[in-house]
Amino acid sequence: MTHRLAPSLLVLASLGLSGCAAFSPDSGMNAVSELTSQTINKDVAFVRTAEGAGAVDARVRQLLSRTLTADTAVQIALLDNKGLQAAYNELALAETDLVEQSLPPNPVFSLSRISGNGASEIERQVVGDILALATLPFRSEIARDRFRQAQLRAGLATLRLAADVRRAYWRAVAGNEMVALLTDAKATAESTAQLAAKLGETGSINKLDQAREQVFYAETTADLASARQTATSAREKLARLMGLWDGGLDFRLPNQLPPLPRPPQALPSIEADAVAHRIDLQIARLELTALARSLNLTGATRFVTLLDLAGISRRTRDPEGAPFRERGFDVQFQIPIFDGGEVRVRQAAETYNFAFNRLTERAVNVRSEARDAYGVYRSSYDIASHYQREIIPLRKIITEEMQLRFSSMQVDIFALLTEARQRLASLRGAIDARQRFFLAQSELQTAVNGGGAPAGSSDDLTTIAAAAPADGGH
């Protein structure tokens, strides 16, 4: 149909290169699974079939059958949270972009026929984009960098969900412990208020002492109602993060926070660990690498942005003569008279510089965040440990001594009740201090590995840099 030279080479080159692109069996989830396993030692699952959904449901039911720990709550969320599954769907879509960018351009075949006065002409063309074919290896490398970024973004979404679940879990358990403490305190305050009312009727106590006991009961009742609402909201948030439907809301949580670990973590190289392991920094580094490749490609194609090759076969039939055939080729390219590519090169260079400065800024912030997170972790540990080692034991001694003096009638009931109110305040402070410690522990893990709230700088970097031309502007 055509002359065998240019079209045949074009088709053969396209077929040879097209064999290099293929979809992975797991849509790139192997990198996410490895990252999650190494970082937080948990499993992830990309549910795409009914069999996979059944296996996930069975494991979630198994985990819900016993009292939840922070680790089991995180594992349930990583398996059952549909928002995380949507993030994995985005990863699968990113793989389609990788495969698309790795394929050579399809050749275009055209057929035209012109006839009149008994004569006719049939022309056939096969047109290929030679520039796109020549730059295919460069564009494929850029696409692989983008896909690796997508894998890290999916891993970052996984770590963010795990961090959110841990925070919600500690708040829910601390809420349960606070409710239990205030429930006992309310019962004691109610008995005291009733006793004060009876003594007031007999004239044994004045109105001031009677009012003090009644207002303590009223305040404790209000505090208990507030604590119950806080605990309920924390439980609901935990249920949402774990992806549980109505049937899963009866999961069991511990009644109190666990004791403090001994000793606390010592992380002398926390800044270096954070810079080496933070997922958001890895994403920014890959972005910089992709932009560097794009900058080189833009520089290489600044003058030539259009280069098409067409193989032509034309058959002409004339009623006055024998039919004859013509073969040839057609080349189209753009002449850089007005635009020599300076704009595209300058745009690519400034986008690269922008990404470099943002990456440097992010690295500085990561080091500071790691130092701050470790400082909060150690101070919250010291405060919670101070309550556990000093304040609560001393309060216990004071309570025992007051009870002995009350038994020997050295102090009255109201002095004992005053001490009970002070002990209640110390116990509430101890619960709050332990909750702050476990939250700080979660934030420390986030500061080292990533998974915190999205940082505006890194997100802006990805968005703006993604707008840079990845194919030399062609």
Side-chain angles (χ1 to χ4, degrees), residues 33 65 69 83 119 225 290 342 375 385 407 428 430:
S33 179
S65 64
T69 65
E342 293 88 353
S385 179
S407 300
R428 295 179 68 173

Side-chain angles (χ1 to χ4, degrees), residues 105 128-135 139 294 296-309 331-345 347 469-474:
D129 189 342
I130 300 302
L131 182 62
L133 194 62
T135 59
R139 292 187 291 109
S294 179
N296 292 335
L297 181 58
T298 301
T301 60
R302 61 176 299 182
F303 297 112
V304 180
T305 59
L306 174 65
L307 181 58
D308 290 342
L309 174 64
V331 177
Q332 295 185 24
F333 59 91
Q334 189 180 71
I335 302 176
I337 298 177
F338 304 106
D339 182 5
E342 293 88 353
V343 174
R344 293 186 296 109
V345 172
Q347 288 175 340
D471 56 355
H474 179 65

Side-chain angles (χ1 to χ4, degrees), residues 273-300:
D273 292 340
V275 172
H277 298 131
R278 280 286 288 261
I279 306 301
D280 50 355
L281 277 183
Q282 294 182 44
I283 293 174
R285 293 189 189 104
L286 281 174
E287 183 66 40
L288 199 64
T289 300
L291 287 175
R293 298 184 193 276
S294 179
L295 178 60
N296 292 335
L297 181 58
T298 301

Side-chain angles (χ1 to χ4, degrees), residues 58-70:
R59 188 170 181 195
V60 169
R61 286 194 299 269
Q62 179 187 9
L63 294 173
L64 288 172
S65 64
R66 53 182 181 268
T67 302
L68 289 186
T69 65

